[in-house]
Amino acid sequence: MASLSVLRSAYPWIKTPLIACAPMLRIATGPLAVAVSRAGGLGFLGAGFDLSNLEADLKHSAELLAKLDTPINHKDTNGTLPIGVGFINWGADLKTAIAAIKRYTPCAVWFFAPASLPDDLVPWAEAIRSATNNKTKIWVQVGSVSEAITVAESLQPDVLVIQGSDAGGHGLARSASVLTLLPEVKDRLRERSMGHIPLIAAGGIVDGRGLAASLILGASGVVMGTRFLTSKEANISHGYQSELLRLSDGGRCTVRSTVYDKVRGFTSWPERYNGRGVINQTYVDAVEKGMPDEENQRLYEEETKKGDAGWGPNGRMTTYAGTGVGLLRDILPAEDIIRNTQVEAERAIKNISAE
Amino acid sequence: MASLSVLRSAYPWIKTPLIACAPMLRIATGPLAVAVSRAGGLGFLGAGFDLSNLEADLKHSAELLAKLDTPINHKDTNGTLPIGVGFINWGADLKTAIAAIKRYTPCAVWFFAPASLPDDLVPWAEAIRSATNNKTKIWVQVGSVSEAITVAESLQPDVLVIQGSDAGGHGLARSASVLTLLPEVKDRLRERSMGHIPLIAAGGIVDGRGLAASLILGASGVVMGTRFLTSKEANISHGYQSELLRLSDGGRCTVRSTVYDKVRGFTSWPERYNGRGVINQTYVDAVEKGMPDEENQRLYEEETKKGDAGWGPNGRMTTYAGTGVGLLRDILPAEDIIRNTQVEAERAIKNISAE
C-alpha cells in the first residue's frame, strides 16, 4: 500500500498498523507523547491555541527521549524529534510555533480548526516546510469530504486525519462517522489522483476491533484520544479518569455541545465546531433547564475548586470523551495500550478471514 | 461463530455474510423484499405504523415468490414466507398484525420504536411466537447499549439489529455509530451470557467496506437501507433517486431532525427519536429562518403537487438518507447490490489479511 510506505519512510521507528495519540490539550504532554512513540506509535503534544509553553514542552520531551533505556535510534528518526505537535490553528501563533519547530524539528505537526480553511493554513505549511527542510511532516485533521479535498488540493499535506462524529472533544458539529466518511474521502481523493495521501482514522477507535475496521475502511493507521485518557502517562486528574471508567453506553452518556466551551470561557472556536463531552450538570442546566450561560459559568468556576470531586454525574467539570468511552476498562501504560490494540486487531482480522 | 449458525438454520437460503434490506416505510414493498431474499439476502416489507395494507402486501409478495423462475425451495424456508415484516410499534396494531402473520408466516418480524421499551413489545413477541409456533423469528432494532440489554433480557429476541448514528430515517436522536455501539453491545451481552444473539449492524453500511468493517466489529450480518433506495425494485419516485445520486459528503448534506416529521404531520414518534434526512428548504426555513411549523407544513403540502421536481436542494420533499449517501453511484437490481457488496467485502478482508 503506497500510502503506508509514505508513513514507514517518514517514521522508520513505527510498528504497523500505526497508532497515533491525539494532541489532547493539556493532557497529551511530554510523558504521554514520548511513551507512545517509544512503543512504536506516534505521540503528539497538545500545543493547542496558546503556545506559551511549547518550547518548554518540547525541551522536556527531548530530555525524556534522551533518557530512555533503549532510545529511539537517531538514524531511525530522519533527524527529527520523534514526536509531533498539534495546533489549534484559530488561536495558535505562527511565529512562536516556527521558533520552537526550528529548534526541535518535531517529526510532525498537526493542524486543526483554522478560522478559515484552507487560507489560514497555507502560510503555516509553507513556513514549517521551509524551516525544517521538509523534515517536519504536515498532518491536517478534517471532518468532511469537502474539507479533505480542499486541504489535499491546496496544502499537499503529508497525512490527512479523518475525524468522524464519534470523536471526543472538538470536531465538526455535523459529520458522519468514520464508517462512511473514510471510504467517501478515499474514493474522492483517488478520483482526483491524490489517493497516495495516507488517511488516518480518528473518532471512536478505542480497541483492536476499531483499528481493524478502520484499516478495512481504507485507513493507513488510526488516532486514539479517549483510549489514551486512561493511560498511565496522561496528564489528567484522577477524578476525570475515574469518571471515564465508570461510564457506559457511550452514544448516550456523551453529547455534542458548545456549552462546555461557554462555561470555560473558550469563545473563539469557529462556529462549525462543537465538542463531544459526557452529559453532566452543566449540560443539564443549560439544555434542560435553560440556565443562562453566566450563571452556569459561575457554577463551573466554583466547581473547579472541588478537585477530583468536581467530576461525576452531578459534577460540572468537563469530561470530554468519545462514544467509545463505554469500552474503557482499565488504566494502562501507553505501551500496553498500543501493543494490546495491535494484537487484538491482528486477531480480529485473522478470525474474520478464517470464516 | 454460534450466532451465525443461528441465522443459517433459521434462513437456510441466505448467502453469507448476510445482507438484509431495511423495512423502509412505503419504499420496501413486495418487489424489493422478494428480490433481496431471492438473491440470498433477507428482504423486509416496511409495514410501519399503519397496517391496513399489510395483508395485501404479503399476498402480493407471496405471489411474486411463487412466480420466480427459480423459486426459493420450500424446504429451505422452514415453512415460512422467506421475507420479513418491519413494524413501527408505537403505531402498529397487534391484532391486525397477528391476523396477517398467521395467514402468511413471514420468516421474521422486526420491531422498532415502541412507545415504551420493553413493555409494549412483550405481548407482540408472545403473540407472534404463539401464532406461528416460533417459526417467525423476532428481530428487534435498538440504538443503545441499554436498549440492547433490556430487549435481550425481556424478550429473548432471535436477532438484535444494532442501529448507529449514520442511519438514514428514524433512529435515536442521540447515539453512537456502529463503530463503538456494536462492540460495546457485544461485550455487555457476552458478560451476561447472551453472546449467542446474532447482532446485525445498521446505519452507514452501503458497500463491501462497510460490510467487512461491521463483521470485524462483531456483527453477524448487516442491514442496508440507503443503498437499496437506489435499487431498481425500490418503490420510490424518480426525483428521490436522482437526488440521492447527486449528493456527496453524506455527513454534511444530511442532518438529524424532527422537522421532516412535523411538516408531514407525523407527530406520534416517541421523543427519543428523530430522523436523518438531506438538508432541504424545509430544514433551512425551520432551523435557520425560524419559520413556524404550520407555514412550513403548508409549503410542504404544496410541494407534494410538484412530483419529481419537489426533490433537490431547493425542494421540500423529504429525502431520508444515511451518511453513506455520498457513496451511492448507480441504480442497480437488488441482486447486483447484494452480490457486489459481498464480493467487495471478501476482497477487502483478503487485502487486509495480506498486509
Side-chain angles (χ1 to χ4, degrees):
Chain A
M1 189 158 65
S3 41
L4 191 56
S5 65
V6 171
L7 291 172
R8 282 197 176 117
S9 121
Y11 310 118
W13 72 87
I14 61 170
K15 292 177 187 149
T16 55
L18 173 63
I19 297 174
C21 172
M24 296 175 286
L25 192 60
R26 290 176 195 155
I27 291 171
T29 55
L32 178 56
V34 168
V36 168
S37 288
R38 176 66 197 80
L42 209 168
F44 278 85
L45 296 175
F49 42 80
D50 171 5
L51 306 188
S52 42
N53 288 325
L54 179 56
E55 282 239 13
D57 284 344
L58 280 164
K59 180 162 184 281
H60 181 48
S61 302
E63 287 163 3
L64 291 173
L65 281 161
K67 274 194 293 188
L68 290 173
D69 289 342
T70 45
I72 299 175
N73 196 315
H74 187 73
K75 193 183 60 170
D76 280 350
T77 65
N78 294 331
T80 65
L81 196 70
I83 59 165
V85 178
F87 298 103
I88 297 176
N89 291 79
W90 58 254
D93 177 62
L94 178 53
K95 268 196 188 162
T96 313
I98 290 295
I101 288 168
K102 259 199 169 149
R103 186 151 180 189
Y104 290 98
T105 322
C107 70
V109 289
W110 168 318
F111 299 156
F112 177 49
S116 167
L117 187 80
D119 295 359
D120 289 355
L121 294 184
V122 173
W124 276 77
E126 282 174 2
I128 291 171
R129 284 179 164 139
S130 141
T132 70
N133 198 17
N134 291 318
K135 281 185 180 169
T136 299
K137 302 299 177 196
I138 311 283
W139 294 39
V140 184
Q141 175 169 309
V142 295
S144 71
V145 178
S146 119
E147 284 189 352
I149 293 171
T150 300
V151 167
E153 287 179 341
S154 52
L155 292 186
Q156 293 81 48
D158 297 291
V159 171
L160 279 173
V161 178
I162 308 299
Q163 186 194 33
S165 54
D166 293 291
H170 286 85
L172 289 181
R174 213 173 65 245
S175 67
S177 84
V178 159
L179 193 61
T180 59
L181 178 58
L182 194 60
E184 196 183 344
V185 167
K186 188 101 180 167
D187 290 352
R188 295 301 88 79
L189 290 181
R190 202 177 273 154
E191 285 164 13
R192 288 165 173 78
S193 307
M194 297 188 292
H196 60 281
I197 302 174
L199 306 182
I200 304 290
I205 299 137
V206 284
D207 63 17
R209 292 169 288 187
L211 168 53
S214 300
L215 299 177
I216 285 260
L217 293 167
S220 299
V222 300
V223 172
M224 300 203 295
T226 302
R227 184 59 188 97
F228 285 114
L229 290 176
T230 52
S231 67
K232 279 210 193 320
E233 295 87 351
N235 181 36
I236 188 172
S237 75
H238 181 66
Y240 195 157
Q241 280 190 326
S242 305
E243 175 65 354
L244 293 171
L245 293 180
R246 188 188 65 79
L247 293 159
S248 62
D249 217 347
R252 298 294 291 171
C253 71
T254 64
V255 70
R256 304 203 69 96
S257 175
T258 54
V259 72
Y260 304 117
D261 282 325
K262 283 180 190 152
V263 294
R264 300 189 306 161
F266 298 137
T267 56
S268 305
W269 278 92
E271 264 201 20
R272 62 191 187 277
Y273 297 99
N274 62 12
R276 183 182 288 280
V278 176
I279 293 174
N280 65 4
Q281 203 56 46
T282 299
Y283 180 83
V284 171
D285 282 345
V287 174
E288 293 173 19
K289 301 187 182 161
M291 181 184 282
D293 291 344
E294 301 71 39
E295 171 68 357
N296 216 337
Q297 184 166 11
R298 191 187 62 73
L299 291 169
Y300 170 82
E301 274 156 24
E302 271 181 29
E303 195 88 354
T304 59
K305 298 171 198 155
K306 290 192 189 167
D308 287 334
W311 274 274
N314 305 314
R316 295 179 178 278
M317 299 306 294
T318 301
T319 309
Y320 280 132
T323 66
V325 66
L327 290 163
L328 301 175
R329 306 308 265 174
D330 41 25
I331 293 168
L332 290 175
E335 183 176 1
D336 293 357
I337 292 174
I338 290 177
R339 198 183 43 217
N340 294 353
T341 304
Q342 287 171 331
V343 167
E344 192 190 5
E346 277 159 28
R347 198 169 45 219
I349 290 168
K350 213 183 215 171
N351 287 345
I352 209 73
S353 314
E355 267 168 23
Chain B
M1 189 158 63
S3 42
L4 191 55
S5 64
V6 171
L7 291 173
R8 282 198 176 117
S9 120
Y11 310 118
W13 72 86
I14 62 171
K15 291 177 188 149
T16 56
L18 174 63
I19 296 174
C21 172
M24 295 175 286
L25 191 59
R26 291 176 194 157
I27 291 171
T29 55
L32 179 56
V34 168
V36 168
S37 288
R38 176 65 197 84
L42 209 168
F44 279 84
L45 295 176
F49 42 80
D50 172 3
L51 307 188
S52 41
N53 288 325
L54 178 56
E55 282 238 13
D57 284 344
L58 280 165
K59 180 163 182 281
H60 181 48
S61 302
E63 288 162 3
L64 291 173
L65 281 161
K67 274 194 292 189
L68 289 174
D69 288 342
T70 46
I72 300 175
N73 196 316
H74 187 73
K75 193 185 57 169
D76 280 350
T77 65
N78 294 330
T80 65
L81 195 72
I83 59 165
V85 178
F87 298 103
I88 297 175
N89 292 80
W90 57 253
D93 176 61
L94 178 53
K95 269 195 188 163
T96 313
I98 290 296
I101 288 168
K102 259 199 170 150
R103 186 151 181 187
Y104 290 98
T105 321
C107 70
V109 289
W110 168 318
F111 299 156
F112 177 50
S116 167
L117 188 81
D119 296 359
D120 290 354
L121 294 184
V122 173
W124 276 77
E126 284 173 3
I128 290 171
R129 283 179 166 140
S130 141
T132 70
N133 199 17
N134 290 317
K135 280 185 181 168
T136 299
K137 303 300 178 196
I138 311 283
W139 294 40
V140 185
Q141 174 169 308
V142 296
S144 71
V145 179
S146 117
E147 285 189 350
I149 293 170
T150 301
V151 168
E153 287 179 341
S154 52
L155 292 187
Q156 294 81 49
D158 297 290
V159 170
L160 280 172
V161 179
I162 308 299
Q163 187 194 32
S165 55
D166 292 291
H170 285 85
L172 289 182
R174 214 173 63 246
S175 66
S177 83
V178 158
L179 194 62
T180 60
L181 178 58
L182 194 61
E184 195 183 345
V185 168
K186 188 101 181 168
D187 290 353
R188 295 301 89 79
L189 290 181
R190 203 177 271 154
E191 286 164 13
R192 288 165 173 79
S193 308
M194 297 188 292
H196 59 281
I197 302 174
L199 306 182
I200 304 290
I205 300 138
V206 284
D207 63 17
R209 292 169 289 188
L211 167 55
S214 300
L215 299 177
I216 286 259
L217 293 166
S220 298
V222 300
V223 172
M224 300 202 296
T226 302
R227 183 60 188 95
F228 285 114
L229 290 177
T230 51
S231 67
K232 279 211 192 320
E233 294 87 351
N235 181 35
I236 188 173
S237 75
H238 181 66
Y240 195 156
Q241 281 191 326
S242 304
E243 175 66 352
L244 293 170
L245 293 180
R246 188 189 64 79
L247 293 157
S248 62
D249 218 347
R252 299 295 291 171
C253 71
T254 65
V255 70
R256 302 202 69 95
S257 175
T258 55
V259 72
Y260 304 118
D261 281 327
K262 283 180 190 152
V263 295
R264 300 190 306 162
F266 297 138
T267 55
S268 305
W269 279 92
E271 264 202 20
R272 60 191 188 279
Y273 298 99
N274 62 13
R276 184 182 288 279
V278 176
I279 293 173
N280 65 5
Q281 202 57 46
T282 298
Y283 181 83
V284 170
D285 282 345
V287 173
E288 293 173 21
K289 301 188 184 161
M291 181 185 281
D293 292 343
E294 301 70 40
E295 170 69 357
N296 217 336
Q297 185 166 9
R298 193 187 61 72
L299 291 169
Y300 170 80
E301 275 157 23
E302 271 180 30
E303 194 87 355
T304 59
K305 298 172 198 156
K306 290 194 192 166
D308 288 334
W311 274 273
N314 305 316
R316 295 179 178 278
M317 298 309 293
T318 301
T319 309
Y320 280 132
T323 67
V325 66
L327 290 163
L328 301 176
R329 307 307 265 173
D330 41 25
I331 293 169
L332 289 175
E335 184 176 1
D336 293 357
I337 291 174
I338 290 178
R339 198 184 41 220
N340 293 353
T341 304
Q342 288 171 331
V343 167
E344 192 190 7
E346 277 158 29
R347 198 169 45 218
I349 290 168
K350 212 181 215 173
N351 287 345
I352 209 74
S353 314
E355 266 169 22

